[in-house]
Amino acid sequence: MVREDGHSEIMEAQWVFEENDLVHASNVDQISMKRDKDGNYSFMDDAYHYYVVINTKGMHHASRFFIGGRKRDSDTAKRRMAWYGQVPPR
C-alpha cells in the first residue's frame, strides 16, 4: 500500500477470498509503531492493535483497539495498492 507521504507498506494477508471478481484480504497481526527523527521504528507508548480489510477496488478499512480491548477508532478509505502472491483459480 502506498501512503499519502509516499512511503510504502507491505502487509501479509491471513485471510483471502474472491467474490464477484473482487479479491478481499485481511491482516490482523499488527501493533502500532512510531518513527523517530532518525527514521528508527519503535512501539508506541499507547500501543494499539491494527486490523485491516482491503479489496482489489482499493477499499481499505481499519479498526484500532488499544492493548486491553478499548476501541481507539475506525476508518474506511480508498487507497492505492499493489497486489502480489497467489490466488487459486476457481
Side-chain angles (χ1 to χ4, degrees):
M1 178 170 50
V2 179
R3 293 285 189 173
E4 293 80 20
D5 64 2
H7 81 274
S8 299
E9 295 179 3
I10 298 173
M11 296 180 200
E12 177 184 29
Q14 290 89 22
W15 180 69
V16 178
F17 74 95
E18 182 274 335
E19 179 180 52
N20 298 326
D21 295 325
L22 284 175
V23 176
H24 304 267
S26 68
N27 178 283
V28 297
D29 66 357
Q30 295 188 47
I31 303 293
S32 59
M33 294 188 294
K34 63 183 176 182
R35 189 169 54 185
D36 67 18
K37 62 180 174 53
D38 296 320
N40 300 307
Y41 285 89
S42 64
F43 293 107
M44 301 171 76
D45 293 334
D46 55 349
Y48 53 87
H49 293 278
Y50 183 63
Y51 303 107
V52 178
V53 179
I54 62 174
N55 71 29
T56 49
K57 281 191 171 182
M59 189 280 300
H60 175 278
H61 174 78
S63 289
R64 298 160 194 87
F65 292 85
F66 286 110
I67 306 299
R70 185 171 52 92
K71 188 170 186 175
R72 181 177 182 263
D73 63 3
S74 293
D75 65 71
T76 301
K78 192 157 190 166
R79 304 248 173 113
R80 193 177 109 209
M81 55 186 87
W83 291 72
Y84 67 95
Q86 299 178 340
V87 175
R90 293 185 208 185

